Amino acid sequence: MADLILTTFDWVPETPRGFVRDLRVRWALEEAGWSYRVESVPFRARDAEHFSHQPFGQVPWLTDGDISIFESGAILLHLAERSDVLMPDDPRARSEVIEWLFAALNSVEMASLPWSLYRFTGDTEETPGREMLDKFLDTRLQHLEAVLAGREWLAGAFSVADILMADVLRLVERFDGLANYPACRGYVARATVRPSFVKAHSDQMAHFAAAD
Amino acid sequence: MADLILTTFDWVPETPRGFVRDLRVRWALEEAGWSYRVESVPFRARDAEHFSHQPFGQVPWLTDGDISIFESGAILLHLAERSDVLMPDDPRARSEVIEWLFAALNSVEMASLPWSLYRFTGDTEETPGREMLDKFLDTRLQHLEAVLAGREWLAGAFSVADILMADVLRLVERFDGLANYPACRGYVARATVRPSFVKAHSDQMAHFAAAD
């Protein structure tokens, strides 16, 4: 691989530490065994250069030679296309990994992130809209539970799809949202004991702690 | 292309008609100029066969020869890899389409779908959680507005990324959420006058109407 540079914030508040999305990229890079450099952009003052790489003012982005990529899903797919540790070559197996990669982001995280944002605010009021969102997540988790009860990883061997899905579920677990889903909890536990996750997580924590 | 079969529900209630996600696939197939067949599964009784194709009990899925794919994002990427009308071959341009394809789903729809679910319920109560979700969508749309003010399509020529982003924004517009975002509205208007969208939309409406 060419020179890989992962860009993240220089600092974030305590709460999101361990959950900033550069973790997904670090994790994938560790699994693939590729070296990379980490660069930082200011969390507080996001300039035009930042928006030219990440139009929503978020992180991370990855530069791979002359290509700069934002969106953790796009970055992981880019890496996976270059590593059979992250995604197999066989067309059918590859297609399975890709559908689960999208499912993590668009079927599960689309329900779980709003749910988590609610918990971040400490809002406890029961309104029809909120009940709808709670039910949205519960339904998705019920179906995912049925899938994970029968398999170790989403698409055969461990893949980028598992990096995304496990990272999405970690944030639900943080707010106790997996209490009724033992197969989901077991899956998160299996994923997060992997040495690549442990290293990625501890590197992220150290990166933000260094800026305190 | 081999025999392409798009599976959707046999029927849905009035409200989601015109917005069921098979529309994204129809639209892409029309743009690519590929013929396909549409098959139906019951909306009311979702059986094990359904879940074997779509583990969340949703639609659509696409079968392409012996490969069955769920998740509209994964389906559109699968088609785009086979058509330079949907995505260019050049690595850099391809990467740009893919990052915007993910941005549509994971940066914009992740904020807009919860917002729309709220409106579906008719809930008008202002709670801290709800304000957080409203702000989440507004911030994303402000950044997207800045992008769309300067370009016709997201990644150079029209691509699958525009099919997803325009379809995501259509649902926001339905609930008047683009009132402050003229560039987003103009973009949706540009996308939805395309003959392929018009045909896809009218085919979906006819499909569900036939089951009434």
Side-chain angles (χ1 to χ4, degrees), chain B residues 1-126:
Chain B
M1 294 296 286
D3 204 20
L4 295 172
I5 304 168
L6 170 63
T7 302
T8 187
F9 287 127
D10 56 349
W11 173 93
V12 297
E14 285 286 333
T15 320
R17 290 186 193 185
F19 292 87
V20 177
R21 286 167 172 223
D22 68 67
L23 187 124
R24 299 172 175 183
V25 184
R26 293 175 187 269
W27 187 356
L29 287 164
E30 295 294 339
E31 295 279 354
W34 291 329
S35 62
Y36 59 100
R37 270 190 300 136
V38 176
E39 292 192 350
S40 296
V41 285
F43 175 76
R44 290 206 170 83
R46 303 175 197 183
D47 62 11
E49 167 73 7
H50 184 150
F51 281 90
S52 77
H53 288 280
Q54 217 298 352
F56 298 96
Q58 301 297 304
V59 295
W61 66 86
L62 182 80
T63 55
D64 177 2
D66 65 343
I67 292 185
S68 172
I69 313 170
F70 69 98
E71 285 290 331
S72 58
I75 296 169
L76 263 60
L77 183 61
H78 175 89
L79 296 174
E81 282 174 338
R82 287 151 182 81
S83 157
D84 50 19
V85 170
L86 298 175
M87 180 166 75
D89 269 343
D90 167 69
R92 200 169 166 151
R94 181 177 180 275
S95 172
E96 229 189 307
V97 169
I98 293 176
E99 65 188 0
W100 277 108
L101 179 152
F102 278 98
L105 302 176
N106 205 228
S107 284
V108 181
E109 191 172 37
M110 194 163 67
S112 66
L113 195 89
W115 180 92
S116 303
L117 287 178
Y118 246 99
R119 267 124 202 107
F120 271 122
T121 65
D123 186 342
T124 56
E125 209 165 332
E126 294 296 338

Side-chain angles (χ1 to χ4, degrees), chain A residues 2 46 138:
Chain A
R46 304 178 196 182
D138 261 333

Side-chain angles (χ1 to χ4, degrees), chain A residues 1 17 19 25 30 44 63 67-68 73 80 86 91 139 169-170:
Chain A
M1 293 294 287
R17 290 187 192 185
F19 292 88
V25 184
E30 295 295 338
R44 290 205 170 85
T63 55
I67 292 184
S68 171
L86 298 175
T139 309
L169 294 177
R170 282 173 67 232

Side-chain angles (χ1 to χ4, degrees), chain B residues 122-133:
Chain B
D123 186 342
T124 56
E125 209 165 332
E126 294 296 338
T127 70
R130 198 236 180 90
E131 274 163 41
M132 171 80 120
L133 288 184

